[in-house]
Each structure stands twice: as structure tokens, then as C-alpha cells.
Amino acid sequence: MVCNFNTNCTTDECSDDVTDINTCDCNDKNIILTESGLLPKNFTDFYICSTHFNQLLKRNSDLRRRKVCQLPTLISAHPPVASHSVVGVKKPKPSRNITINDVEKIQKCYGLTLPIGTPACTSCLIKISKQSTEIEAESLDQGKCEDDQIEISASEYTVTSEESGSQNYLSQSQVSKISKISILSLYID
């Protein structure tokens, strides 16, 4: 087994004790993967040495202690502020650190994977939530069935009676009572 986190260092920096990332605590696994820029999904045969394990957890611990919003300019809802900017202009203070759900929303909306625990201000969190909601609404709209897309006549639906074996057609009013979702599921199935 070889440490998969040795891309930015020589193999001399890796320790000999390598463990499967899936055997780690769930929170530690998520922190390590997001610190490395990976979205925590199903990882098999993914290994980490104790040196990198401790380095990534320390980096995340240091990040969590920051006193200003750490979201990148692409995502942030506030104007960019340099650390040596004009006196009186400061980055907003974080209201909380981002969670795994926030990381997944950011990944879906912007294609970036930020570390769990990144400090974020309220306005940035609202922007992420709003953007995620808009994307979800768009994806629902793409799968939505419009009235003019439904062309089903009552003669297409028959009911077979088990007792008599005869077929009865549904009336137009019975067909109109079928919900769009049911009709859509017929097309999908």
C-alpha cells in the first residue's frame, strides 16, 4: 500500500504506517478528502499515511480558527478585500464554518471543493443556498411535464376485469384525473 496523498511531497515524507481512508472516522475522512480537494463520495483503495493524516487535520484546524470569511472571490457575496487594503475596509466575520452539505452545494454550483470547516459569513452562505436552490429548480423544470406535452387518449388505457376477462376503456374524465407525475412515470418506465 502506498499513500495516495504524496503528490506534493517526496515519498521520504510519508510514514510507513498506511491505512485505508475508509477505516478512518467519518468526520476525519470528510475533512481529509475535502482538504485535498476531493468530494467525499465512495472511495475504495484510497490510502493515507499518518504523516499526511496529521498534516491535513492540522491544516483544517488552523483554517477553522480564521476570524474572517475565507470563501474565494468566485463564491463570495461581498467585494474582494486584500489583507493590506484601505483602512476601515475589512472582510466580514464568519457566522459559521461550512458543513459537508455546504461543500456539496458549492461543488454542484461552482465546481469547487472547499474544505469542511472553512469560515463563511452569512451573506456568502445565503448566496450559496440561493444558487443551489435555483439549480435544483432548473433541474426539476427540465424534467417537468407540460400540458401540451401530454397527448394521451382514453382509448390508450384499458382495464381488464379479472372476473369476466373483459376489457373496459377508461373514460376521458378518468384519464384526466391521472396526475402528470403518474403519466410522466409511464414514459420514464
Side-chain angles (χ1 to χ4, degrees):
M1 295 184 292
V2 177
C3 178
N4 295 110
F5 294 85
N6 65 357
T7 57
N8 295 330
C9 63
T10 64
T11 53
D12 296 338
E13 292 179 16
C14 285
S15 59
D16 292 333
D17 54 337
V18 179
T19 59
D20 186 352
I21 193 80
N22 291 315
T23 62
C24 298
D25 175 59
C26 186
N27 290 332
D28 288 344
K29 174 186 169 184
N30 290 339
I31 289 170
I32 289 166
L33 291 172
T34 58
E35 272 293 334
S36 302
L38 302 171
L39 194 61
K41 292 290 178 187
N42 298 326
F43 282 93
T44 57
D45 300 327
F46 213 73
Y47 301 98
I48 187 167
C49 69
S50 61
T51 302
H52 287 111
F53 183 85
N54 292 329
Q55 284 176 352
L56 292 168
L57 288 180
K58 169 108 173 69
R59 185 182 349 167
N60 189 266
S61 175
D62 293 344
L63 175 68
R64 288 174 184 265
R65 284 186 258 154
R66 301 269 174 104
K67 300 294 183 202
V68 294
C69 181
Q70 295 295 306
L71 295 186
T73 306
L74 172 69
I75 300 170
S76 71
H78 45 81
V81 178
S83 58
H84 57 280
S85 65
V86 180
V87 176
V89 179
K90 297 179 183 177
K91 277 188 168 183
K93 292 185 178 187
S95 60
R96 67 174 175 85
N97 297 339
I98 64 172
T99 63
I100 187 66
N101 292 333
D102 298 324
V103 170
E104 290 171 351
K105 288 177 185 178
I106 292 168
Q107 173 64 32
K108 185 189 297 185
C109 296
Y110 300 100
L112 299 173
T113 303
L114 297 180
I116 293 172
T118 302
C121 67
T122 303
S123 60
C124 289
L125 292 168
I126 290 170
K127 179 181 176 184
I128 292 166
S129 181
K130 186 183 288 187
Q131 184 73 22
S132 175
T133 304
E134 289 172 3
I135 288 176
E136 287 174 8
E138 287 174 10
S139 66
L140 288 175
D141 285 344
Q142 290 175 354
K144 192 167 93 174
C145 188
E146 299 295 330
D147 287 335
D148 59 351
Q149 294 174 322
I150 300 173
E151 296 177 14
I152 297 176
S153 66
S155 62
E156 292 177 5
Y157 287 94
T158 60
V159 177
T160 304
S161 171
E162 291 180 15
E163 295 169 2
S164 65
S166 63
Q167 289 187 341
N168 297 320
Y169 291 102
L170 294 176
S171 69
Q172 187 66 38
S173 64
Q174 289 171 320
V175 170
S176 66
K177 291 179 183 177
I178 298 173
S179 70
K180 290 181 186 180
I181 295 171
S182 297
I183 293 170
L184 183 59
S185 71
L186 291 172
Y187 286 118
I188 293 171
D189 293 337

